[in-house]
Amino acid sequence: FKDRFATVTAAAGTNTITIVIRDSGPGFDYEPYLRLSPARAFSEHGRGIAIARQFAFETIEFTPPGNVVTATIARSKFRSEGNQ
């Protein structure tokens, strides 16, 4: 994996902050990880996606084949936590 890389870009709009992460890997089947599942409660992989989707971001959207993800957060939520 030494030749793989990821890029992260962020853009601040009037009401949202958008973060795009692009991974140079082949992607993955992200659908099973979009919701918390009791079957994966102790799994080593995928819990972070569901937790982030439920608690941290307004939206998390993957672009097939799963190596690009776009997440948005409301600026009001970000500011309410004491950040500017």
Side-chain angles (χ1 to χ4, degrees):
F1 299 110
K2 70 180 181 72
D3 294 325
R4 290 191 183 175
F5 60 92
T7 59
V8 179
T9 57
T14 303
N15 297 314
T16 60
I17 297 169
T18 302
I19 302 163
V20 179
I21 303 168
R22 298 176 198 280
D23 175 320
S24 65
F28 73 109
D29 180 14
Y30 51 87
E31 287 289 336
Y33 301 105
L34 296 177
R35 289 177 226 38
L36 287 173
S37 164
R40 285 191 322 276
F42 299 102
S43 174
E44 294 180 10
H45 306 289
R47 290 177 303 172
I49 294 170
I51 291 168
R53 188 166 190 251
Q54 284 194 322
F55 299 110
F57 296 99
E58 306 305 311
T59 64
I60 295 180
E61 298 175 353
F62 285 87
T63 302
N67 62 345
V68 177
V69 62
T70 302
T72 60
I73 186 169
R75 287 179 68 105
S76 61
K77 183 177 181 179
F78 189 70
R79 286 190 191 124
S80 70
E81 296 174 3
N83 300 310
Q84 295 295 328

